[in-house]
């Protein structure tokens, strides 16, 4: 039996956005096959109190892959053992984050510099769980296909069940075009499933990635935050049917606001909703101006301001 479904769809891990209320919003539009949490710090997970943590609280875990970051094999092992107790679908190791606040510790994509050290971390995680284990990577520090293939073979031999490639290098950040040919190369050379990530902005892009790279799954990040219904659009495109169309954006915003309010303390909820709003507002003609009118300070104020903005025709 395949470890992942045919033409699997994944929602990517994103800091302060890959939380339960956003997952619930995506699920309300039919969802995807598997969701990733935002990355959890392996230094903190073994000792964190779930009763006080915003990150060790899960409503639904059977479609959830919990992602950890860190370069200490023992801390990773302890973290995976702890997270295994929450009964997630799987565990992921982040070896792809390019942000300086992560790479300065030798975490994320910085781990791709050292095959031996990275292998020790993957092996430690593999010994700590029988659940599906994935590793999310980038092309590397630079566009070096032979090294990427060597790193991919190491991931496979260390016991990972599948690999996610964000098809950009560390220096590419999020702005340069993703190089899908690297996804194809991994798919052609490795025996484990390969998930493609990068520059999937529309349902048509997802279908094109499947067709052009032969990948086993497609992961979507920013576009799933902008359009939580994008996975539904992909399925509709495959079935050659348009059933639902675009939902009312005001309703989507208010649904997310309500969900965030029930999940987080008030101060955190306001921050999370303010972070999400500019993404959803990209569906509006005057989204930039719209966001400026939603000032708060509280969620009730923001609800009122959203309703007033739509009444004023600011959509």
């Amino acid at each position: 039996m395949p470890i992942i479904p045919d033409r699997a769809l994944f929602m990517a891990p994103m800091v302060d956005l890959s939380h339960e209320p956003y997952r619930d919003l995506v699920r309300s539009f039919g969802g995807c096959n598997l969701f990733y949490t935002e990355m959890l710090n392996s230094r903190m997970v073994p000792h964190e109190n779930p009763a006080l943590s915003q990150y060790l609280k899960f409503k639904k875990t059977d479609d959830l892959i919990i992602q950890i970051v860190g370069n200490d094999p023992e801390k990773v092992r302890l973290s995976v053992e702890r997270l295994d107790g929450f009964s997630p679908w799987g565990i992921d190791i982040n070896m792809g984050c390019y942000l300086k606040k992560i790479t300065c510790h030798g975490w994320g994509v910085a781990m791709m510099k050292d095959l031996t050290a990275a292998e020790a971390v993957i092996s430690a995680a593999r010994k700590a769980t029988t659940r599906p284990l994935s590793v999310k990577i980038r092309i590397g520090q630079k566009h070096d296909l032979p090294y990427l293939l060597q790193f991919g073979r190491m991931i496979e031999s260390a016991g990972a069940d599948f690999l996610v490639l964000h098809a950009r290098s560390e220096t590419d950040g999020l702005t340069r075009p993703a190089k899908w040919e690297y996804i194809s190369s991994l798919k052609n050379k490795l025996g484990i499933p390969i998930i493609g990530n990068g520059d999937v902005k529309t349902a048509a892009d997802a279908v094109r990635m499947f067709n052009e790279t032969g990948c086993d799954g497609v992961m979507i990040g920013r576009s799933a935050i902008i359009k939580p219904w994008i996975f539904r659009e992909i399925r509709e495109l495959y079935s050659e049917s348009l059933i639902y169309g675009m939902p009312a954006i005001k309703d989507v915003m208010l649904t997310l606001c309500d969900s965030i309010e029930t999940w987080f303390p008030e101060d955190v909820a306001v921050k999370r909703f303010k972070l999400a709003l500019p993404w959803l507002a990209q569906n509006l003609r005057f989204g930039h101006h719209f966001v400026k009118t939603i000032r708060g300070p509280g969620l009730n104020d923001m609800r009122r301001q959203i309703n007033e903005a739509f009444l004023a025709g600011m959509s």
Side-chain angles (χ1 to χ4, degrees):
M1 181 177 178
I3 192 71
I4 60 172
D6 183 45
R7 290 197 304 232
L9 299 174
F10 297 76
M11 186 167 174
M14 288 163 285
V15 175
D16 292 339
L17 288 165
S18 298
H19 48 63
E20 196 66 35
Y22 229 116
R23 289 193 287 273
D24 266 353
L25 183 63
V26 173
R27 290 180 186 119
S28 74
F29 295 109
C32 56
N33 294 103
L34 291 163
F35 295 87
Y36 275 57
T37 68
E38 54 194 305
M39 58 186 170
L40 307 184
N41 188 334
S42 60
R43 289 180 178 175
M44 299 176 63
V45 167
H47 315 291
E48 201 163 356
N49 184 348
L52 303 175
S53 173
Q54 298 172 24
Y55 303 103
L56 296 183
K57 186 169 73 165
F58 312 104
K59 182 167 66 175
K60 179 176 169 59
T61 59
D62 60 354
D63 60 358
L64 190 63
I65 297 175
I66 304 178
Q67 184 183 77
I68 58 171
V69 66
N71 59 2
D72 183 319
E74 179 61 12
K75 288 183 172 63
V76 167
R77 181 187 68 80
L78 291 171
S79 294
V80 173
E81 287 181 351
R82 180 87 185 279
L83 296 171
D84 194 83
F86 290 94
S87 301
W89 185 91
I91 302 287
D92 179 80
I93 305 170
N94 183 319
M95 295 190 180
C97 183
Y98 72 102
L99 297 175
K100 294 297 182 186
K101 65 182 180 180
I102 297 299
T103 59
C104 70
H105 298 289
W107 304 343
V109 73
M111 294 192 68
M112 292 189 70
K113 297 177 182 178
D114 190 331
L115 277 159
T116 302
E119 183 175 21
V121 167
I122 298 168
S123 297
R126 178 71 287 166
K127 292 172 184 174
T129 184
T130 59
R131 299 181 191 279
L133 177 68
S134 62
V135 183
K136 189 172 188 292
I137 63 173
R138 282 188 170 232
I139 291 171
Q141 274 66 47
K142 57 184 180 179
H143 301 142
D144 183 343
L145 180 57
Y147 184 77
L148 174 64
L149 293 175
Q150 185 181 9
F151 201 87
R153 292 188 189 101
M154 177 276 293
I155 289 173
E156 182 174 17
S157 64
D161 294 293
F162 62 97
L163 181 160
V164 182
L165 176 64
H166 184 152
R168 292 182 172 98
S169 70
E170 178 179 3
T171 54
D172 288 339
L174 290 174
T175 56
R176 294 177 185 170
K179 296 185 176 295
W180 289 5
E181 61 268 26
Y182 285 81
I183 301 171
S184 303
S185 296
L186 280 179
K187 177 59 184 173
N188 290 334
K189 297 295 184 181
L190 299 187
I192 56 175
I194 304 298
I195 313 305
N197 179 215
D199 278 349
V200 178
K201 300 175 182 177
T202 67
D205 290 336
V207 173
R208 187 165 60 87
M209 179 180 275
F210 276 119
N211 292 339
E212 290 184 7
T213 70
C215 64
D216 301 279
V218 166
M219 175 177 281
I220 305 176
R222 289 171 290 173
S223 294
I225 295 297
I226 297 168
K227 298 193 297 181
W229 56 90
I230 191 170
F231 301 107
R232 181 173 77 186
E233 290 183 341
I234 296 168
R235 289 191 292 269
E236 288 179 337
L237 189 56
Y238 268 116
S239 65
E240 298 182 346
S241 63
L242 181 61
I243 301 171
Y244 296 100
M246 183 173 169
I249 300 302
K250 185 185 80 168
D251 294 343
V252 174
M253 291 175 175
L254 294 177
T255 296
L256 181 62
C257 182
D258 292 346
S259 184
I260 284 177
E261 184 176 44
T262 63
W263 192 254
F264 294 110
E266 173 72 10
D267 58 333
V268 178
V270 169
K271 291 177 183 176
R272 294 292 186 272
F273 188 59
K274 282 185 175 179
L275 181 64
L277 201 58
W279 294 96
L280 291 172
Q282 291 186 42
N283 293 287
L284 305 175
R285 287 174 297 165
F286 306 106
H288 182 70
H289 182 58
F290 171 87
V291 169
K292 287 184 176 181
T293 69
I294 315 302
R295 300 176 302 274
L299 290 180
N300 284 334
D301 302 294
M302 297 174 79
R303 287 188 186 93
R304 174 178 52 78
Q305 291 156 6
I306 288 170
N307 281 310
E308 289 173 352
F310 274 89
L311 283 172
M314 207 175 292
S315 59

